[in-house]
Amino acid sequence: YGCFQPDTRVFPFKENRDHNGRDADRANKNNPYSRFIWEIEYDNRDPVQIRERGRAYMTPKYVRLFLAMKLYPPSRAGTYEAAVVLWGKADEDSDTITVMKAVSFGTQDLSHDHKQDFFQRRADRLVGVNVNRWENARNDDAAWSITLPFRGFLFRVSKGAPGEKGTTEYVLDDLQDGAVQDFVIDLRRAAREYENQVLE
């Protein structure tokens, strides 16, 4: 209906928006901007389109994390390619978008052509994934997990309305290390779900 609708988004309650900024997303019923957005694509959107859409999502400073999963149709032999990329603004004082992690986790490694689709440099897309940056989960146990930093979810999330002096307190202002754990995506579970639904 004239705007993107991500598969999953996480945003604060309205009372916890950033009262010191323009934290109202017209594309999402004027709720606070999403801090995390997740898109899962199968046979419709390619990596170029994913990066174009991701660029639009991440333009507002409040959107800190974008996770895109691309699942390719299986071959006749029953093998398949699968990719996931996490883009983020890791530095709370910067809006620079970087590739935080890129994993090939299909039964078949991501092809050179598909890696190139994720890499091509263009101004209207998210920063590309260097072809040498990909981790292969089938060869590396640590690659099966994608860690989403909790600080991205809590970026400029206020504790409520401004105080008597008009000052806004943010959740991250006095959050001690270890008080909140990062979120973890289990790619083994994602692969299992995909195989159960698509492979015969």
Side-chain angles (χ1 to χ4, degrees), residues 112-137:
H112 177 74
D113 286 347
H114 290 154
K115 287 180 180 178
Q116 283 297 322
D117 288 340
F118 277 101
F119 175 67
Q120 294 171 348
R121 292 187 174 132
R122 288 282 295 275
D124 61 346
R125 302 173 193 160
L126 285 175
V127 59
V129 181
N130 189 298
V131 292
N132 298 318
R133 176 79 190 268
W134 289 93
E135 300 175 40
N136 187 334

Side-chain angles (χ1 to χ4, degrees), residues 9-121:
R9 64 162 87 226
V10 177
F11 54 90
F13 291 117
K14 287 185 177 180
E15 66 189 50
N16 301 108
R17 72 172 74 244
D18 179 11
H19 300 285
N20 287 332
R22 297 182 179 180
D23 190 8
D25 186 356
R26 288 183 296 171
N28 186 28
K29 303 175 184 176
N30 279 327
N31 283 300
Y33 278 102
S34 302
R35 275 38 175 191
F36 167 69
I37 292 177
W38 187 357
E39 286 276 14
I40 301 174
E41 303 297 345
Y42 176 56
D43 197 21
N44 51 348
R45 200 165 284 114
D46 64 26
V48 173
Q49 294 166 318
I50 288 170
R51 289 172 55 208
E52 288 171 348
R53 180 169 284 205
R55 172 74 181 214
Y57 283 141
M58 295 199 78
T59 297
K61 71 175 183 178
Y62 293 103
V63 183
R64 308 309 287 180
L65 300 166
F66 175 60
L67 184 70
M69 185 177 288
K70 174 64 179 172
L71 301 165
Y72 293 87
S75 67
R76 289 181 181 172
T79 61
Y80 67 91
E81 295 178 46
V84 63
V85 182
L86 176 63
W87 283 273
K89 301 169 185 172
D91 185 346
E92 293 171 26
D93 298 322
S94 170
D95 290 332
T96 302
I97 301 168
T98 62
V99 175
M100 299 177 78
K101 187 159 182 164
V103 182
S104 169
F105 69 100
T107 55
Q108 177 180 331
D109 193 21
L110 206 59
S111 72
H112 177 74
D113 286 347
H114 290 154
K115 287 180 180 178
Q116 283 297 322
D117 288 340
F118 277 101
F119 175 67
Q120 294 171 348
R121 292 187 174 132

Side-chain angles (χ1 to χ4, degrees), residues 1 63 111 128 150 180:
Y1 301 105
V63 183
S111 72
F150 74 86
V180 177

